Amino acid sequence: MKTKLFAGSKRGTLFAAFLRAVSYIAIQGEIPMINSFNLFRREADTSFGWNLILVNDDYRIPRNYEVELTELSNGEKVDSRIYPQLQQMFDDARTEGLELFVREGYRTTQDQKNIMNERIQKYQDEGYSRWEAKERAEEYIESLR
């Protein structure tokens, strides 16, 4: 009887996590911070519908997840599925004399990376080392959540 190397065992899970870490290092060109890199990250569960998906350090957006965007008059983009209700909320607010706007819309992964890199560069320009700048940028981004 043949068995797969480490299949279904705790060692297999650790081996798979090790391979993910090695490929991350090869692709990203850096060693991940232990506290910000979860080797056991899984895809988020989408079975409850598009509007109820938990995404965090443990659950990533599924690779096949797609979103259709609608561009607002200020250039920000939102998921098209929320646009009718968003527009109704804006209309109701205007009726009450209030002016609402979307300050930040949908961001791609690349947009997020660019924002993080700009923040890291800002801290490096202030004299922090690359490592310190990255730590500060992560703290800043986390404070916005």
Side-chain angles (χ1 to χ4, degrees):
M1 182 170 94
K2 289 185 176 181
T3 58
K4 291 182 180 179
L5 181 65
F6 303 129
S9 69
K10 191 171 190 174
R11 284 179 76 186
T13 302
L14 291 173
F15 185 70
F18 172 74
L19 289 178
R20 281 197 300 276
V22 168
S23 58
Y24 177 87
I25 293 167
I27 292 167
Q28 299 295 325
E30 61 184 37
I31 297 174
M33 300 293 293
I34 295 300
N35 63 350
S36 64
F37 182 72
N38 187 337
L39 297 176
F40 301 101
R41 205 162 182 213
R42 297 176 297 272
E43 282 194 352
D45 179 5
T46 59
S47 65
F48 293 106
W50 67 270
N51 58 343
L52 188 59
I53 302 172
L54 173 64
V55 178
N56 60 22
D57 289 340
D58 295 323
Y59 298 96
R60 68 178 183 279
I61 295 172
R63 293 185 195 280
N64 64 347
Y65 187 78
E66 293 182 20
V67 61
E68 184 179 322
L69 300 174
T70 297
E71 188 168 336
L72 304 177
S73 60
N74 68 353
E76 294 297 329
K77 296 177 182 171
V78 297
D79 189 314
S80 296
R81 295 170 286 195
I82 71 161
Y83 183 72
Q85 293 84 3
L86 180 65
Q87 192 57 53
Q88 183 64 54
M89 182 176 71
F90 284 171
D91 293 344
D92 292 347
R94 273 191 292 279
T95 300
E96 296 297 320
L98 302 170
E99 189 65 35
L100 302 179
F101 65 95
V102 173
R103 181 173 181 264
E104 294 286 335
Y106 179 84
R107 292 182 183 163
T108 65
T109 301
Q110 190 59 50
D111 290 338
Q112 286 291 98
K113 287 178 182 178
N114 292 342
I115 290 168
M116 180 61 105
N117 289 335
E118 288 169 9
R119 179 64 52 177
I120 289 169
Q121 187 60 54
K122 175 187 175 294
Y123 287 123
Q124 284 184 295
D125 292 346
E126 292 176 8
Y128 292 96
S129 71
R130 172 91 177 145
W131 182 82
E132 291 171 321
K134 189 171 182 180
E135 284 290 306
R136 287 185 169 269
E138 288 172 352
E139 289 171 7
Y140 173 79
I141 299 297
E142 187 64 32
S143 73
L144 298 177
R145 292 183 184 174

